[in-house]
Amino acid sequence: MTAATHSTLIPQVPDSADAVLEGLDPEQREVATALRGPVCVLAGAGTGKTRAITHRIAYGVRAGILQPSSVLAVTFTNRAAGEMRGRLRQLGASGVQARTFHSAALRQLQYFWPKAIGGSLPRLVDRKIQLVADAAAACRIRLDRGELRDATAEIEWSKVTQTVPADYAPAAAKAGRETPRDPAEIAQLYAAYEDLKRARSVIDFEDVLLLTVAVLQDRHDVAQQVRAQYQHFVVDEYQDVSPLQQRLLELWLGDRDDLCVVGDASQTIYSFTGATPDHLLDFRGRHPGATVVKLVRDYRSTPQVVHLANGLLAQARGRAADHRLELVSQRPAGPEPVYTEYTDEPAEAEGAARRIRELIDAGVPAAEIAVLFRTNSQSETYEQALADVGVPYQLRGAERFFDRPEVRKAGSALRAAARFGGNDSLLDEAVDLPSQVRAVLSGEGWTTQPPAGSGAVRERWESLAALVSLAQDFAAARAGATLSDLVVELDERAGAQHAPTVQGVTLASLHSAKGLEWDVVFLVGVAEGMMPITYAKTDDQIEEERRLLYVGVTRAREHLHLSWALARSPGGRPSRRPSRFLKGLRPGSGTAAAGRTAAGGAGGGVERGSRGGGGGAAVTVPRRTRRTPARCRVCGRTLTDAGEMKLMRCEGCPSDMDEGVYERLCEWRAVQAERSGQPAFCVFTDKTLVAIAESVPEDERDLARIPGVGARKLNRYGTEVLAICAGQEGVGLDEDG
């Protein structure tokens, strides 16, 4: 499902610092070797950002420039942090702290609380929704389940934007938030919630950040101790930082600038939680000396998927759109995206399920297929449709893998076998680690063949099968690994919530799919009212919906299916229409609406800031003129090689060159070169002559489109070249000229 799933399969630690850099592309290498901050990495989807920043940290550690214990890398999910730690271990950079903002802050808060505040840290509540319900009851405010969830989200937003209850109403109005109840009621509820927490001596996750900020602001000695510990910071997914997280980062840094941030404004999809890309987009202004590296080589998706993704952003508006990155696929050509219209939602789900069944029967692993939708409420229809055709599935965002009862029980059984396996008859005939795990888990319900049908029995089997598969991968990666080694690996994964792959089709919301990828992606419900969602009213909200669809598209490696239904239920009025975001992109949908893209998408490369004096004014970087990416006229792949761009096709794609025209052009070029006393390539290069002979232009406009034929050469040679292409004999070959 993701690169993280296979991270334990990299067998060999690089034997030197230079070896860490092997296999990186030029831009990734720039990231890896830019070890002194500030550094800003603008990384498009699928461009290998995690690879770049982990190799950067590992190169610094292996070269002796960075001390592992002095590096703090922060990201937004436990899974991502676990993946980062795993990659760093494989690169020989153990000891680096890779954590989420919350876990890093909680660790510091637990350590410094007795010294800074006194006593023990109040208990942390995992879920605040019950506290919000109790606060609502105290205020005599009746909330249904949906309103309770929305009110909880409003409290979370207030805290990450550092808004106190008294300021909630004006702050919500300024931010354009659609509040679930009257803002005055939400403010009252928020205040009661805070009072209730104090009375019960508990804190929530947002308090962890707020309290850490307060301690670092108020206690200079504590701040100095933290800064002495950490001298080098890396922040992943920087477009998702909230004002509160940015403030914490600033306090960690102090007056230093040894900071590397990584992000993509076009993947900002969590603004409803307080996340903002402004910190990423303003980075160069705050740090005029920053090195900016742009990663645009897409190693994940085919040119066809990348073309659609670029097309979506080409129509975008707003500040994030002005800084979009134009991706360039590095993969071979694949199938075109498939667009399907259905009469109603059940028919859409059944159609997707049938196609998934066909793919699995053809050999595509179920774990490499995903169905992505806008809202969690859409899931049930697809669960039923997949069950009806006998396809196993897993719900992303449902119960955590390591929290499942069968996984907990299996872990206990493996732990016991690791300690007392010598006395266990089950292991008598188990000759290696995978067979030991299969023997132990057979006692927990695992069988070589999955049970028929779906439901709880099948889900339990899928969980155990994932552990068996993990054991096989682990043994392949670590020769001689024991059951005890596997138990340690499972404990580390549980701590990081780094679950193994479950052999089932993934059902997930677009928000929860961020950071993941699959060979085959079904984007369903791509209709007006769902994408964009009905309550997206403002321009900013509409653009965030467009970015959400972009994130969904870029999850696909090869096969991408987009679908929508004309009606919600069978027999309903067919009043729906495809999403406006697909206009001009899907066949037969007319011309795309023009976006505010005069500045265009940015290509890859490096911009180095000036560290000179002069008051720290921002360095103005010239904007690149937008250029439409060159595409192979045979297979459609995006072209990056200069020679291929002249030919307008891949070197390996078949040529339809007119051999006679090419020979006459070569003869003509030789005469022109002799007359002018310059090498033949100064007239036209071989590639340009091939391109002319392949396209055989009929007029100056056609000839001018060929790369290598500029205005000067068009004026000088255009008439004769067109005459040769038209079949006129002896053009330009006579000695009198």
Side-chain angles (χ1 to χ4, degrees), residues 334-663:
E336 291 291 338
V338 176
Y339 302 85
T340 310
E341 183 175 277
Y342 292 94
T343 55
D344 51 63
E345 287 184 3
E348 183 180 8
E350 290 164 10
R354 280 196 306 272
R355 181 66 186 125
I356 290 169
R357 179 74 267 174
E358 292 168 1
L359 288 166
I360 293 174
D361 291 343
V364 178
E368 289 297 348
I369 304 174
V371 178
L372 307 182
F373 32 74
R374 177 61 181 85
T375 66
N376 287 319
S377 62
Q378 294 168 269
S379 172
E380 186 176 352
T381 305
Y382 288 88
E383 292 177 54
Q384 185 61 54
L386 290 172
D388 288 345
V389 294
V391 170
Y393 62 86
Q394 58 170 327
L395 280 173
R396 174 121 188 122
E399 185 181 28
R400 291 177 172 179
F401 180 82
F402 288 102
D403 291 340
R404 297 175 185 174
E406 66 272 16
V407 174
R408 288 179 176 274
K409 192 176 177 188
S412 298
L414 290 170
R415 193 169 290 106
R419 294 178 62 188
F420 309 112
N423 299 319
D424 192 337
S425 59
L426 274 175
L427 303 182
D428 287 346
E429 297 180 7
V431 296
D432 56 15
L433 177 59
S435 60
Q436 289 174 340
V437 171
R438 288 194 294 269
V440 173
L441 296 187
S442 64
E444 302 300 323
W446 178 81
T447 55
T448 55
Q449 294 298 319
S454 58
V457 173
R458 178 62 182 248
E459 289 174 8
R460 285 195 294 272
W461 184 91
E462 296 285 357
S463 297
L464 298 177
L467 293 175
V468 170
S469 178
L470 175 62
Q472 293 168 341
D473 291 346
F474 188 72
R478 300 191 188 182
T482 66
L483 203 51
S484 295
D485 295 329
L486 178 65
V487 168
V488 171
E489 172 76 3
L490 289 174
D491 288 342
E492 290 181 357
R493 283 173 169 262
Q497 287 300 327
H498 180 188
T501 300
V502 175
Q503 286 301 318
V505 172
T506 300
L507 298 178
S509 71
L510 287 164
H511 282 101
S512 65
K514 179 119 184 309
L516 303 176
E517 59 188 71
W518 297 267
D519 285 345
V520 186
V521 168
F522 287 78
L523 286 174
V524 300
V526 190
E528 285 292 307
M530 194 61 75
M531 183 60 67
I533 200 78
T534 306
Y535 55 73
K537 303 292 186 185
T538 68
D539 288 345
D540 286 346
Q541 290 168 339
I542 295 293
E543 288 308 315
E544 180 141 340
E545 292 288 300
R546 187 194 308 276
R547 293 194 296 270
L548 191 56
L549 182 57
Y550 170 80
V551 166
V553 166
T554 54
R555 299 311 93 195
R557 296 192 192 106
E558 186 170 2
H559 297 274
L560 179 62
H561 298 254
L562 301 97
S563 63
W564 58 91
L566 297 177
R568 180 172 184 177
S569 54
R573 188 164 62 91
S575 58
R576 292 180 177 176
R577 50 195 175 90
S579 169
R580 70 190 76 173
F581 299 145
L582 298 181
K583 184 174 177 58
L585 299 176
R586 64 182 179 87
S589 61
T591 305
R596 195 168 54 193
T597 56
V606 185
E607 299 168 3
R608 305 190 191 282
S610 168
R611 292 184 178 273
V619 177
T620 301
V621 181
R623 297 298 301 273
R624 301 182 72 172
T625 304
R626 181 173 187 259
R627 298 176 65 183
T628 302
R631 300 190 182 281
C632 174
R633 52 192 169 81
V634 180
C635 71
R637 183 177 73 86
T638 301
L639 303 176
T640 56
D641 178 77
E644 291 183 338
M645 290 171 71
K646 281 193 175 184
L647 294 176
M648 293 305 292
R649 64 172 172 82
C650 306
E651 287 280 8
C653 284
S655 169
D656 54 356
M657 182 176 69
D658 186 317
E659 297 285 353
V661 169
Y662 179 70
E663 289 177 7

Side-chain angles (χ1 to χ4, degrees), residues 74-95:
V74 289
T75 186
F76 281 79
T77 66
N78 286 319
R79 183 194 59 80
E83 178 183 349
M84 193 177 291
R85 286 194 295 272
R87 291 198 188 194
L88 288 169
R89 280 200 309 270
Q90 292 155 6
L91 292 169
S94 297

Side-chain angles (χ1 to χ4, degrees), residues 57-58 61-62 66-73 81 84-99 107 229-232 492:
I57 295 170
V61 169
R62 300 292 297 277
L66 303 176
Q67 292 299 314
S69 60
S70 72
V71 180
L72 177 59
M84 193 177 291
R85 286 194 295 272
R87 291 198 188 194
L88 288 169
R89 280 200 309 270
Q90 292 155 6
L91 292 169
S94 297
V96 172
Q97 292 293 313
R99 298 181 174 274
R107 197 162 181 255
Q229 170 70 49
Y230 298 116
Q231 285 101 43
H232 187 90
E492 290 181 357

Side-chain angles (χ1 to χ4, degrees), residues 653-683:
C653 284
S655 169
D656 54 356
M657 182 176 69
D658 186 317
E659 297 285 353
V661 169
Y662 179 70
E663 289 177 7
R664 292 195 295 275
L665 285 171
C666 288
E667 292 173 8
W668 167 84
R669 181 181 65 172
V671 172
Q672 300 303 319
E674 185 176 349
R675 286 176 181 172
S676 61
Q678 59 186 353
F681 68 80
C682 291
V683 181

